[in-house]
Amino acid sequence: MRHRSVADLMTPTAVAVQPGTSFKEIARLLDEYGITAVPVVDEENRPVGVVSEADLLRRHTAKGGPSTAEAMMSSPVVTARPSWTAVEAARLMERHRVKRLPVVDAQGCLIGVLSRSDLLQLFLRRDRSIQEEIREDVVVRILGLSPSAVHIDVDEGLVTLSGTLDRAGIGPVLVRLCEAVDGVVEVVDRLAYEDAEGDLTVADTQ
């Protein structure tokens, strides 16, 4: 089971500014590329800050002072690595209350930008793709069950599990693994378990 990484989801950076870039040039770039913020990089292409639309508005309403990227940017900048999972990046965004993360390589150089909208792509996966990953990776490869042992229904990211298993303890594990699959919004457990006497126990979490 492979989680999509920051590298899979990020937008490769084509837009960045220098500390000396002017207010008007930054505003023009935001408008031209349809973006809401731009990283500020030094001479070695290392992020030193971020200028957002909010930063521009604050500078516009303030009186006096320089109107360069260096004067307006938010700093220090919070960055992500391309190998991180989407969950790691989302937690960092939440912790620092930012809407986007410059992505840097091992040398600290800018290689992309990850935004909240990029993370939302996880939940736009096709239901069939989610269903196939659960069946092939979770049910068969990880848990070693027959592909027909569990019926998997996926509707708009809502996964419903049904079928009869001979081990009650495997059910909660299966549910947790399904919850970790990219694109899954919720998991409903309707699995039944057959004990040694042949009696059935049904779990229904909905």
Side-chain angles (χ1 to χ4, degrees), residues 114-150:
L114 183 76
S115 68
R116 285 180 178 177
S117 60
D118 294 324
L119 290 175
L120 287 175
Q121 295 301 312
L122 289 176
F123 297 100
L124 298 178
R125 291 186 71 190
R126 293 174 181 265
D127 289 338
R128 184 176 181 84
S129 176
I130 295 172
Q131 183 186 51
E132 289 174 351
E133 181 173 343
I134 291 174
R135 178 178 293 110
E136 295 171 9
D137 286 358
V138 176
V139 174
V140 176
R141 187 176 64 83
I142 296 177
L143 297 180
L145 300 174
S146 164
S148 60
V150 179

Side-chain angles (χ1 to χ4, degrees), residues 12-205:
T13 246
V15 186
V17 300
Q18 300 291 324
T21 304
S22 70
F23 179 105
K24 285 190 175 182
E25 177 62 14
I26 296 171
R28 185 189 67 77
L29 289 170
L30 296 184
D31 178 66
E32 179 180 347
Y33 289 94
I35 54 180
T36 60
V38 62
V40 183
V41 297
D42 61 18
E43 293 180 354
E44 297 180 331
N45 201 38
R46 291 189 173 93
V48 295
V50 173
V51 177
S52 67
E53 291 174 330
D55 295 322
L56 292 180
L57 291 173
R58 276 193 294 269
R59 177 56 61 180
H60 180 68
T61 56
K63 293 182 178 179
S67 296
T68 62
E70 186 172 21
M72 296 182 289
M73 70 185 186
S74 301
S75 182
V77 63
V78 182
T79 61
R81 291 297 183 91
S83 60
W84 288 5
T85 65
V87 172
E88 289 175 302
R91 286 174 178 167
L92 188 65
M93 283 185 184
E94 179 65 22
R95 186 161 62 247
H96 290 275
R97 300 185 181 279
V98 295
K99 297 180 181 179
R100 62 200 61 80
L101 295 170
V103 183
V104 298
D105 62 17
Q107 288 71 47
C109 296
L110 184 69
I111 59 173
V113 173
L114 183 76
S115 68
R116 285 180 178 177
S117 60
D118 294 324
L119 290 175
L120 287 175
Q121 295 301 312
L122 289 176
F123 297 100
L124 298 178
R125 291 186 71 190
R126 293 174 181 265
D127 289 338
R128 184 176 181 84
S129 176
I130 295 172
Q131 183 186 51
E132 289 174 351
E133 181 173 343
I134 291 174
R135 178 178 293 110
E136 295 171 9
D137 286 358
V138 176
V139 174
V140 176
R141 187 176 64 83
I142 296 177
L143 297 180
L145 300 174
S146 164
S148 60
V150 179
H151 178 73
I152 306 156
D153 181 70
V154 185
D155 182 19
E156 297 293 325
L158 173 65
V159 176
T160 302
L161 304 173
S162 58
T164 303
L165 301 175
D166 58 4
R167 289 177 289 161
I170 204 170
V173 177
L174 173 57
V175 170
R176 287 196 298 272
L177 288 171
C178 289
E179 289 173 338
V181 171
D182 288 342
V184 171
V185 176
E186 185 181 352
V187 178
V188 176
D189 180 3
R190 290 180 177 164
L191 295 165
Y193 305 95
E194 186 174 352
D195 60 23
E197 286 73 33
D199 295 327
L200 290 179
T201 301
V202 180
D204 190 341
T205 59

